[in-house]
Amino acid sequence: MSGCADQNPMPEAARFRRAPATVMRLARMGSFHQTRLSFMRALLRRMRRENWEFDVPVWDIGADGVGRAVYRAKGPQRTYSLVAFAHDLPDEMRSDRVIATAWDATFTLFDGEPTTEDLDRLEANVPLQEAGRVSDQELSLSRANRSVRLWEHVVGSLARGEQPDMERVYAVGYLMRTTAVYGSGKFGAADRDKIAAREELRGPFRVEMLSVYLTRAFVLDLVEHMARVRGGDQATVLAPENRRWFGIGNSTGLGMAPFLIHHPVLLNNWMLAREEALARVRSQPAATVEVFRKFSVMVKRARLNAEWWRSEHPIQIEKLTALRGDLDQLAAHCATFDLSVPYPWDRLYRWGEDSLSLEGQEILAALMLEPHGALVDGLSDCMDADEAAPFRIDGTMPLEDFSALVEAKYAWARDPDYAARESNARFWYVSEEKLEPRLGERFEEPGAEYEQPLAIGRDAAGLADALDAFEGKGACLADFLLAHPEHRHIARRVLAAARHPFAEIWDNLIAADMLPIDLLRCKLSFFGANRFDPRSDRWVRICMFQNAPFPQELALEPEDDWAYPPLEGVTT
Amino acid sequence: MSNNAVYSLAEIEAMARKAARGAGYPWGLAEEAGRGARWLCAWGQGGVEAVATHLGTLGGSEPDLSHQREETGGLHLTDAVLAGALIADHLAEGEASPIASGVILSPLLLGIVGAASEVAGFRVDLSSPEGTYRLGKGGPVLMSEKAEPATISVRVEQASGSETASSGSAKQWAVSVDAAQWSVLEGYAHKTYVPATEASRALGAGAGLSDND
């Protein structure tokens, strides 16, 4: 019932689905939260269901905290191994920016079980990150830096035989943050085609999520190792209930921002799964007391999460204040909510639309999925995309039909006046310094002639103008593209958007007031990230896997009950 | 000893795309060059060399993306990327060619049409005065060097699912690339990169903030 094998398993949900014009807006996408469909949660559900086995066959870390370790994850079909290298990084070299050249720890996810020769080869390359080369035996490449203050506090506390001050742990949430996790095909790593057909990696970013999940386990083992080195017999380990509160951080900048734009069909499938999940819940004619009670507990747990969610960025401070208020309002509304009304979930959602900020509306949408796993979890299998087929242009399409498509799908793109400076203020480019995407000021910086094709709205509007001006009755699309090869890129997108309603972001991506952090937050919410903490308009820190069971605990804990912090004395 | 390095198909596609853009192709055509290079490499044929050679024929000039109607009504154009894209756009079962003359069936052209034909589920025979190539599973295969009439012809059939690779090679996802050819592409790709300025550094994500916290 909940899978995507059937083309339209729940036609009754269609009328509850939100429209792209509502959903595909940066302000809303920049207010998304993780959900049951998020990649981390789907990965952990699968590994638990399939009884994956985890161990640490190599732990070769010295008293100075330098060395290597292997974390092994054995699934029903194959084994994957996180190869971790711990380094001794002087403070002055610690930078989260992609231009850094040294890190506290570096990692790769190995496809199988590495031999000593493999480890030696990787030790010569992985610590160099972009400057090294891996092979198609490796599936990812990543690195992490310490949260210096928390790291020292935890090592010091444990070395003295004490538990750390948990208030500080709640607020920071991690001991190390990854600063890049490269996946398919980067720096020699295996192409996505190699792993695309594997059942256990079905779904987007499974390799990267597995790598980060095992990285978290390594980081916690490493901090306890360092405490043992310092404290000897006096040292202790983290109490299990405290240990869980350590997630793994991530610091992400502009490099990730264009991804959603470069992958329109993938974006569509992510959004469609999420929107279909919400529509399915809203289409339930009734709700049981038990299910609604579970939902109400989740509202409280989300409120607790919002309490510990910190940010110093003015925009996010304002959004957090609204979110906390919204969750209080939602909790109060739940306490008096009349469950006997028809379509109570839809009623609740529509109340949220009228009463809550975008942050609040989106947390409500996410929370409504929580007690409905059986109804929505299967949709997490529908979030992959075949990107080869939509690449092809069927040039035999009558140009008249193509023009009608542009009219129908890109009317939003013609709203801004691109002749106005503020509507055409920026351009996306690739920096020579680091070969990373950057955002430039068109009227102040050089380089706009090699602008990346990310100004979708402007380019679609330009295409529409060129189509209007094109003379050729009875022409086909190929005729137009022969005369106008400069519109080929956007024409390809139009054909993809024709079949994928959530493929495009209905906002001007080069406007002066565009916030790249909205793109980052949307993508990271699909990963399953939490605690979005923008450090500027183009850089965000997050927390991943906080409260998740560690590998050895996975089989023992309730399924998928970790994404919001537990309430003391409350059982779900 | 050859000076080679192994690259993933994703890296090859990205590099070929950037190189074609750097050589002056608009993004939509540069993407075709990337897909074409990827398809050739996947079947063990020299996709990187195909792009490097083709860009070399431009002699440092912008590509000539013009086309002319001949007196007979046929289309004359010379650019291999544009021609490959045009043939790919017109792929449909049967025999026809959108192009009458001007084009040489270069490896890059074959790669572009081959990539599209695989996605569309077609097997395509391309003929020109230099011979006939079959594009299907296994990459481009030279079927006949016999001189055909001085026109381009395209014959498209549904590929059968059980068809085995005609060249006998298996699809691969990482290939060894000659360093000299790779650096040719890097040279073109470099033109698409924007050098840093003090202003861009100051505006960079996370610039000027300490990470020792």
Side-chain angles (χ1 to χ4, degrees):
Chain A
M1 176 175 186
S2 58
C4 57
D6 307 322
Q7 284 302 307
N8 194 5
M10 276 190 64
E12 67 272 27
R15 73 185 171 95
F16 294 93
R17 207 185 276 165
R18 302 191 291 187
T22 303
V23 181
M24 302 306 289
R25 304 306 301 266
L26 281 177
R28 184 177 293 274
M29 295 167 81
S31 300
F32 278 8
H33 303 268
Q34 56 82 24
T35 71
R36 293 192 69 94
L37 302 182
S38 297
F39 309 149
M40 288 171 205
R41 296 179 65 175
L43 173 72
L44 262 52
R45 283 200 300 268
R46 173 185 285 275
M47 293 196 302
R48 185 179 183 280
R49 190 172 68 235
E50 295 178 345
N51 293 310
W52 284 48
E53 291 172 16
F54 302 90
D55 64 357
V56 184
V58 177
W59 179 269
D60 186 12
I61 308 279
D64 55 356
V66 176
R68 66 193 189 188
V70 175
Y71 282 63
R72 188 160 57 183
K74 200 176 282 186
Q77 308 286 330
R78 293 174 196 82
T79 294
Y80 299 90
S81 302
L82 180 79
V83 180
F85 298 98
H87 309 292
D88 183 17
L89 182 70
D91 281 353
E92 66 273 14
M93 290 190 71
R94 188 170 294 107
S95 167
D96 285 4
R97 298 194 64 195
V98 74
I99 55 175
T101 55
W103 302 270
D104 285 314
T106 52
F107 309 90
T108 186
L109 190 72
F110 187 87
D111 189 11
E113 301 182 43
T115 62
T116 303
E117 290 73 38
D118 287 321
L119 293 179
D120 291 344
R121 170 176 62 84
L122 293 170
E123 189 160 350
N125 284 283
V126 171
L128 303 176
Q129 295 284 294
E130 294 96 328
R133 286 297 284 179
V134 291
S135 76
D136 68 351
Q137 277 289 286
E138 285 80 55
L139 305 176
S140 74
L141 185 67
S142 60
R143 64 289 191 106
N145 281 336
R146 291 173 187 168
S147 168
V148 177
R149 276 174 262 168
L150 195 59
W151 181 273
E152 177 48 38
H153 172 68
V154 173
V155 172
S157 303
L158 295 179
R160 289 190 302 275
E162 299 161 7
Q163 292 295 308
D165 174 1
M166 289 308 290
E167 295 280 318
R168 293 176 66 172
V169 177
Y170 298 148
V172 177
Y174 54 80
L175 285 163
M176 277 198 196
R177 56 182 171 261
T178 53
T179 68
V181 182
Y182 295 110
S184 344
K186 296 281 178 61
F187 309 108
D191 197 87
R192 177 144 179 88
D193 280 1
K194 183 187 179 192
I195 55 165
R198 297 184 183 181
E199 176 59 27
E200 71 273 20
L201 298 180
R202 193 170 165 196
F205 288 96
R206 295 301 191 265
V207 159
E208 292 85 346
M209 296 303 111
L210 176 58
S211 159
V212 171
Y213 180 59
L214 297 174
T215 296
R216 171 180 178 243
F218 165 76
V219 169
L220 271 293
D221 289 348
L222 183 64
V223 81
E224 290 176 340
H225 170 85
M226 296 311 291
R228 246 186 333 269
V229 168
R230 193 185 294 182
D233 291 345
Q234 202 189 359
T236 186
V237 294
L238 285 161
E241 66 276 16
N242 289 344
R243 210 173 191 263
R244 287 274 204 94
W245 276 92
F246 291 90
I248 187 96
N250 174 267
S251 188
T252 294
L254 276 179
M256 185 187 265
F259 182 90
L260 296 178
I261 311 160
H262 280 314
H263 299 275
V265 178
L266 193 62
L267 174 62
N268 173 80
N269 294 356
W270 295 6
M271 301 296 287
L272 195 56
R274 196 177 177 281
E275 292 305 313
E276 173 66 13
L278 176 61
R280 285 183 181 184
V281 173
R282 288 172 64 186
S283 73
Q284 300 303 298
T288 65
V289 172
E290 176 57 18
V291 168
F292 196 76
R293 195 189 64 83
K294 281 185 184 171
F295 168 76
S296 304
V297 170
M298 281 301 177
V299 172
K300 291 183 188 145
R301 291 172 65 176
R303 179 66 181 84
L304 183 61
N305 183 59
E307 193 58 38
W308 292 119
W309 179 350
R310 301 288 158 80
S311 179
E312 289 170 18
H313 197 272
I315 294 175
Q316 191 58 35
I317 289 173
E318 199 178 311
K319 290 176 78 168
L320 278 174
T321 305
L323 177 65
R324 292 179 190 127
D326 286 344
L327 283 164
D328 288 341
Q329 225 194 124
L330 177 59
H333 190 65
C334 286
T336 59
F337 187 68
D338 179 6
L339 258 191
S340 67
V341 297
Y343 298 99
W345 296 107
D346 181 56
R347 180 74 68 95
L348 183 61
Y349 176 77
R350 286 190 286 113
W351 167 84
E353 274 188 326
D354 293 339
S355 313
L356 307 177
S357 71
L358 286 179
E359 283 267 359
Q361 290 176 38
E362 291 307 312
I363 195 91
L364 172 58
L367 289 168
M368 278 170 49
L369 308 190
E370 288 297 334
H372 291 103
L375 193 62
V376 305
D377 286 353
L379 290 164
S380 63
D381 285 340
C382 311
M383 298 168 89
D384 272 326
D386 171 9
E387 298 187 293
F391 182 86
R392 202 195 147 223
I393 290 176
D394 179 5
T396 61
M397 175 186 265
L399 195 58
E400 213 176 317
D401 296 356
F402 181 74
S403 297
L405 262 183
V406 175
E407 282 299 320
K409 301 287 177 187
Y410 289 83
W412 59 270
R414 297 187 98 162
D415 282 345
D417 172 13
Y418 299 101
R421 218 175 145 102
E422 66 274 15
S423 300
N424 196 22
R426 268 102 168 255
F427 69 102
W428 293 87
Y429 67 91
V430 172
S431 75
E432 180 184 35
E433 208 163 36
K434 197 60 190 182
L435 305 188
E436 281 279 324
R438 292 278 178 265
L439 192 57
E441 300 297 324
R442 187 183 308 277
F443 301 105
E444 288 150 40
E445 293 177 62
E449 64 273 27
Y450 284 112
E451 179 171 12
Q452 295 286 305
L454 295 165
I456 306 306
R458 185 202 61 193
D459 292 353
L463 170 68
D465 291 345
L467 286 165
D468 288 345
F470 189 71
E471 289 174 10
K473 216 172 161 52
C476 66
L477 174 57
D479 297 329
F480 173 78
L481 293 178
L482 178 63
H484 288 288
E486 71 276 17
H487 292 302
R488 188 173 181 84
H489 175 85
I490 188 70
R492 202 190 308 281
R493 294 188 72 101
V494 171
L495 294 176
R499 294 180 178 198
H500 300 95
F502 295 95
E504 296 288 17
I505 298 165
W506 292 28
D507 269 307
N508 181 7
L509 300 168
I510 51 168
D513 58 356
M514 193 273 297
L515 295 172
I517 45 174
D518 289 337
L519 292 165
L520 301 178
R521 171 144 172 197
C522 173
K523 187 183 180 202
L524 292 164
S525 75
F526 277 102
F527 284 10
N530 204 333
R531 310 279 189 93
F532 305 92
D533 177 15
R535 309 283 289 172
S536 77
D537 68 343
R538 52 192 72 186
W539 178 37
V540 65
R541 283 186 184 170
I542 54 163
C543 193
M544 299 182 284
F545 289 115
Q546 193 177 34
N547 296 304
F550 282 89
Q552 274 71 17
E553 301 171 323
L554 192 57
L556 312 171
E557 292 294 318
E559 187 189 70
D560 199 12
D561 188 39
W562 57 271
Y564 296 97
L567 298 174
E568 278 179 3
V570 176
T571 51
T572 53
Chain B
M1 199 176 126
S2 67
N3 191 9
N4 284 5
V6 174
Y7 292 94
S8 70
L9 293 183
E11 288 175 292
I12 288 164
E13 179 177 351
M15 181 57 78
R17 180 177 61 234
K18 287 190 284 186
R21 177 72 189 107
Y25 286 96
W27 279 115
L29 286 175
E31 287 159 353
E32 302 290 344
R35 286 282 161 150
R38 180 189 177 98
W39 186 77
L40 291 169
C41 287
W43 294 115
Q45 310 226 6
V48 171
E49 292 80 353
V51 178
T53 303
H54 171 71
L55 298 183
T57 64
L58 302 177
S61 306
E62 292 270 309
D64 175 8
L65 301 180
S66 68
H67 63 278
Q68 295 87 38
R69 285 279 164 202
E70 294 172 336
E71 284 178 12
T72 56
L75 200 60
H76 176 94
L77 60 91
T78 57
D79 186 83
V81 177
L82 183 65
L86 186 65
I87 294 169
D89 289 356
H90 277 283
L91 285 182
E93 249 180 296
E95 278 188 71
S97 173
I99 302 167
S101 67
V103 164
I104 293 166
L105 299 185
S106 68
L108 180 57
L109 184 152
L110 296 174
I112 290 169
V113 179
S117 58
E118 183 171 316
V119 165
F122 290 137
R123 194 184 67 190
V124 176
D125 288 346
L126 271 184
S127 301
S128 82
E130 303 95 65
T132 297
Y133 288 87
R134 173 157 292 178
L135 307 176
K137 288 198 180 103
V141 177
L142 181 61
M143 303 298 286
S144 150
E145 293 187 60
K146 204 177 86 189
E148 298 281 326
T151 55
I152 314 288
S153 76
V154 181
R155 184 183 155 84
V156 179
E157 291 175 5
Q158 289 291 336
S160 71
S162 59
E163 187 187 2
T164 50
S166 41
S167 69
S169 58
K171 211 164 183 177
Q172 39 193 313
W173 40 76
V175 294
S176 181
V177 175
D178 179 74
Q181 300 286 334
W182 188 257
S183 69
V184 170
L185 295 201
E186 280 182 325
Y188 288 104
H190 191 264
K191 297 179 187 178
T192 68
Y193 306 145
V194 177
T197 61
E198 283 312 311
S200 70
R201 285 203 186 93
L203 281 167
L209 290 164
S210 166
D211 293 314
N212 280 313
D213 58 355

